[in-house]
Amino acid sequence: MKKLLCTLSLVFSLPLFAYQTDTHIFKGKKTAIEKPVTVTLPDGYQNSKKYNVIYVLHGYSGNHGDWTKLTNIEKLADQYDVIIVNPDGNFGSWYLDSDIDKSSQYETYIADDLLNYIDSEYSTNRSKSGRAITGLSMGGFGALYIAINHPDQFAAVSGISAGVDVRPFSAEFDLAKVLGSYAENKEKWDSIAIINNLHKIAAGNTAWNKGADTLPIMLDIGVDDFFIEQNRALHQAMLKMRISHDYVERPGIHDWHYWNKVIAYQFLFLTSHMAP
């Protein structure tokens, strides 16, 4: 009997989560891209309340279901009382509007079609203060690139193990399908590197000049990740330009063990810059 009581005590001491995760298919009005999106609603979700939304992008070769299948990200919806949105980036779109493949317009799909769809289907805070974006690897690049180029849409951004400068990887990750060959399209490859987009946010992102265009940024990467040198170079460039940001290196490599471990830190950072 004593053993049974101890077992019951252990069970009822565990935290309870009541989030709701569903997957929907929708067709973008601007891009005509038709893809599934996984949405997690927090416990007690109600239409009378306006919820902040965090968009979380998957990496190369992944899909909309990766985050919910391979991590415990859904629990963060309850912890922070936010809606979590996991879109599908079509395996290797790099979340860019491709000049090579006109059907692959994933920057517009995320920044326009997806945001409008989520705002129309759920009770959301539709202002900049109510949205944030993050992602891993290809998705980390996508989150940074989209937020920097649409600073009126997101309150904060973080990139996890992000491919912030893919020029050294021109023969990998299906990049040529999106950008064309590096030899023939060098200007395009140069233009999408995050380090070459910093001027777009520098004016409003210093400690001395914060305004409506301020974009809090966090970079988080494992010390043994193959993207580490590009992240370090980006960090140094941001320091030289006096762009306020958080930069974290932790023990780890480019894998789901690392991403499952650090996603909670991203939510802590992102929600700290969103509407209360």
Side-chain angles (χ1 to χ4, degrees):
M1 185 62 179
K2 290 183 178 179
K3 184 176 181 180
L4 175 60
L5 289 174
C6 289
T7 303
L8 288 173
S9 176
L10 175 62
V11 171
F12 287 109
S13 68
L14 294 174
L16 299 176
F17 296 93
Y19 54 79
Q20 176 185 336
T21 299
D22 295 302
T23 297
H24 312 275
I25 295 177
F26 82 99
K27 186 174 183 178
K29 291 183 178 180
K30 273 197 173 182
T31 63
I33 291 173
E34 190 169 10
K35 283 288 183 180
V37 57
T38 296
V39 179
T40 301
L41 303 178
D43 181 25
Y45 172 84
Q46 50 191 313
N47 289 325
S48 60
K49 179 178 178 178
K50 300 299 182 184
Y51 291 85
N52 290 341
V53 184
I54 298 182
Y55 294 82
V56 187
L57 311 183
H58 66 77
Y60 170 76
S61 79
N63 61 55
H64 64 97
D66 283 1
W67 278 104
T68 52
K69 291 177 183 176
L70 301 172
T71 75
N72 295 317
I73 194 173
E74 303 105 305
K75 295 179 180 179
L76 298 173
D78 282 359
Q79 182 177 344
Y80 291 101
D81 200 30
V82 297
I83 297 172
I84 301 174
V85 178
N86 303 122
D88 196 297
N90 199 35
F91 193 92
S93 72
W94 285 86
Y95 302 98
L96 292 167
D97 286 353
S98 174
D99 296 331
I100 305 301
D101 181 359
K102 294 302 183 181
S103 69
S104 187
Q105 305 296 302
Y106 278 85
E107 177 188 347
T108 299
Y109 172 71
I110 299 295
D112 194 294
D113 287 343
L114 180 63
L115 265 61
N116 286 327
Y117 172 76
I118 295 299
D119 284 346
S120 67
E121 293 294 314
Y122 300 95
S123 183
T124 63
N125 175 354
R126 301 183 183 189
S127 69
K128 169 179 174 172
S129 66
R131 301 192 196 99
I133 188 168
T134 185
L136 67 88
S137 193
M138 177 184 85
F141 164 81
L144 291 164
Y145 187 82
I146 290 170
I148 288 172
N149 284 280
H150 303 268
D152 58 324
Q153 297 281 40
F154 300 99
V157 59
S158 74
I160 313 167
S161 308
V164 296
D165 188 344
V166 294
R167 288 174 291 182
F169 306 90
S170 59
E172 303 175 67
F173 308 122
D174 287 335
L175 285 157
K177 293 181 179 179
V178 179
L179 297 168
S181 71
Y182 182 77
E184 297 176 357
N185 299 275
K186 185 178 181 299
E187 288 186 7
K188 182 64 177 180
W189 285 74
D190 290 344
S191 72
I192 61 100
I194 301 301
I195 200 169
N196 292 330
N197 282 265
L198 295 179
H199 62 283
K200 299 173 182 178
I201 58 169
N205 250 50
T206 69
W208 301 273
N209 182 21
K210 290 186 177 294
D213 54 349
T214 297
L215 180 66
I217 297 173
M218 180 176 184
L219 303 175
D220 188 319
I221 190 165
V223 293
D224 293 311
D225 193 297
F226 52 77
F227 284 140
I228 188 70
E229 294 305 325
Q230 290 73 37
N231 276 258
R232 287 173 175 167
L234 177 61
H235 168 53
Q236 290 300 319
M238 294 172 81
L239 290 176
K240 289 180 181 178
M241 295 179 71
R242 297 182 176 179
I243 295 176
S244 298
H245 65 289
D246 284 27
Y247 179 78
V248 182
E249 291 185 10
R250 313 176 198 269
I253 61 174
H254 201 85
D255 68 358
W256 280 102
H257 175 74
Y258 187 83
W259 303 324
N260 191 32
K261 178 177 65 175
V262 305
I263 187 60
Y265 297 110
Q266 315 310 307
F267 272 60
L268 177 62
F269 171 80
L270 296 171
T271 56
S272 71
H273 294 285
M274 302 176 77

